[in-house]
């Protein structure tokens, strides 16, 4: 067995230095390069479910006997926008609190029944959204915009969102057979990430709040430009895949020819 000489020892030492340097760089920059690594999970799926069911109970929603489904999801559009426009480091610093893009999405439903309950909780345990899906024929009141708006503002105030801190964006009515639904969108004052903003959607069905969502609103112009870019990327990917297919066929043809000539 040959012994290591000085040259071998120097080579091993250099390799160890390179490994140590690589580990140091990875440890210092990994969370900046991959924001997913910085997700703070204060609640797991089970704990998020407990919080959601408590909310539904407080709102008088009956989920006894309903089936449950839940998943962890991410708002991809908002995530891509923030990382492209703000940079990974700044985007990572606002994820979870100012921009709630990581989500525990849950629903309670019964087979063959349209009515269901949906709740979205952040990994920090904050409410992001809820929706009570009701039949279009369900009874309710036909409120005016001002009356429905008052109910929506009261709910938002219970969430710590005072009317003075909100800028109304739109109010959309929906006439149902036995009631009128209103959807309101408000923007949070002072919360701006590039051209994106934080908005709140509130739905009033009849005289009760049946939907709420906090989300990052990405400019439509940026979304259209990004969709065009993605279309070009997908087209280029299809061309590249076809080219790879032809290359593999050529490789197989050459291999077969070499085998026939016994020249492998």
């Amino acid at each position: 067995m040959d012994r290591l000489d000085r040259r071998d020892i120097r080579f091993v030492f250099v390799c160890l230095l390179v490994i140590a340097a690589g580990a140091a760089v990875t440890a210092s920059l990994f969370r900046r390069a991959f924001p997913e690594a910085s997700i703070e999970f204060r609640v797991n799926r089970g704990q998020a479910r407990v919080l959601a069911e408590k909310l539904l109970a407080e709102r008088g929603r009956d989920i006894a006997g309903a089936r449950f489904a839940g998943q962890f999801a991410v708002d991809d559009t908002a995530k891509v926008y923030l990382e492209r426009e703000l940079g990974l480091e700044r985007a990572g610093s606002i994820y979870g609190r100012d921009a709630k893009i990581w989500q525990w999405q849950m629903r309670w439903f019964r087979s063959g029944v349209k009515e269901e309950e949906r709740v979205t909780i952040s990994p920090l345990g904050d409410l992001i959204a809820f929706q009570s899906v009701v039949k279009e024929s369900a009874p309710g009141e036909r409120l005016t915009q001002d009356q429905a708006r008052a109910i929506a503002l009261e709910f938002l105030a219970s969430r710590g969102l005072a009317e003075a801190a909100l800028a109304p964006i739109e109010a959309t009515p929906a006439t149902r057979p036995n009631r009128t639904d209103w959807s309101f969108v408000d923007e949070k004052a002072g919360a701006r990430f590039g051209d994106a903003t934080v908005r709140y959607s509130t739905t009033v069905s009849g005289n009760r709040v049946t939907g709420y969502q906090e989300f990052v609103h990405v400019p439509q112009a940026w979304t259209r430009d990004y969709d065009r870019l993605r279309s070009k990327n997908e087209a280029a990917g299809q061309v590249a895949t076809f080219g790879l297919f032809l290359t593999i066929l050529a490789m197989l043809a050459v291999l077969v020819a070499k085998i026939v000539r016994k020249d492998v």
Side-chain angles (χ1 to χ4, degrees):
M1 181 177 180
D2 296 334
R3 302 186 56 156
L4 297 178
D5 55 22
R6 289 186 176 182
R7 183 177 179 183
D8 295 328
I9 294 175
R10 283 197 301 269
F11 177 73
V12 171
F13 182 70
V14 170
C15 290
L16 291 176
L17 285 179
V18 171
I19 293 173
V25 171
T26 300
S28 62
L29 301 180
F30 186 79
R31 291 181 180 273
R32 292 172 58 186
F34 301 97
E36 293 85 349
S38 63
I39 301 177
E40 184 179 355
F41 282 99
R42 291 185 183 175
V43 297
N44 55 29
R45 193 179 81 153
Q47 293 168 325
R49 179 178 180 178
V50 171
L51 292 174
E53 291 180 345
K54 180 181 178 181
L55 168 71
L56 294 175
E58 292 173 349
R59 300 193 57 78
R61 310 306 299 165
D62 181 18
I63 57 172
R67 300 174 63 183
F68 170 79
Q71 66 175 357
F72 186 75
V74 58
D75 185 345
D76 282 319
T77 300
K79 180 177 181 294
V80 172
Y81 174 85
L82 294 173
E83 291 178 358
R84 288 174 65 91
E85 298 299 315
L86 304 183
L88 286 175
E89 185 173 5
R90 186 182 172 195
S93 68
I94 63 176
Y95 286 159
R97 291 177 172 81
D98 298 319
K100 298 180 176 65
I101 65 168
W102 316 113
Q103 306 171 354
W104 288 114
Q105 297 177 349
M106 297 162 285
R107 58 190 289 250
W108 291 258
F109 62 97
R110 297 174 177 84
S111 299
V113 179
K114 180 177 181 179
E115 294 93 333
E116 65 177 67
E117 303 295 331
R118 302 173 184 172
V119 181
T120 302
I121 301 291
S122 76
L124 296 178
D126 299 322
L127 174 66
I128 298 177
F130 75 83
Q131 181 184 10
S132 295
V133 180
V134 297
K135 292 181 179 179
E136 292 191 358
S137 60
E141 298 187 18
R142 296 192 181 278
L143 301 182
T144 65
Q145 178 176 336
D146 290 340
Q147 291 172 325
R149 177 64 173 168
I151 294 175
L153 288 175
E154 182 180 2
F155 171 79
L156 292 173
S158 70
R159 299 287 311 152
L161 300 168
E163 182 178 3
L166 300 171
I169 300 299
E170 63 182 35
T172 306
T175 302
R176 308 301 183 193
N178 301 308
R179 69 178 191 276
T180 300
D181 294 351
W182 283 92
S183 296
F184 300 96
V185 177
D186 295 274
E187 189 170 277
K188 186 177 181 180
R192 183 171 290 275
F193 316 115
D195 291 327
T197 58
V198 175
R199 292 187 177 183
Y200 305 93
S201 172
T202 312
T203 301
V204 178
S205 299
N207 63 347
R208 65 187 180 92
V209 176
T210 57
Y212 163 79
Q213 182 183 10
E214 175 183 347
F215 62 98
V216 176
H217 174 72
V218 176
Q220 292 184 355
W222 184 92
T223 301
R224 288 193 296 268
D225 290 341
Y226 184 69
D227 288 341
R228 284 195 291 267
L229 175 62
R230 290 296 300 161
S231 297
K232 293 178 181 178
N233 290 343
E234 291 173 1
Q238 292 174 356
V239 172
T241 300
F242 181 70
L244 178 61
F245 176 72
L246 294 179
T247 301
I248 292 175
L249 288 181
M251 292 170 61
L252 291 175
V254 171
L255 178 61
V256 171
K258 291 287 187 179
I259 292 175
V260 171
R261 295 198 300 267
K262 298 180 181 181
D263 186 28
V264 178

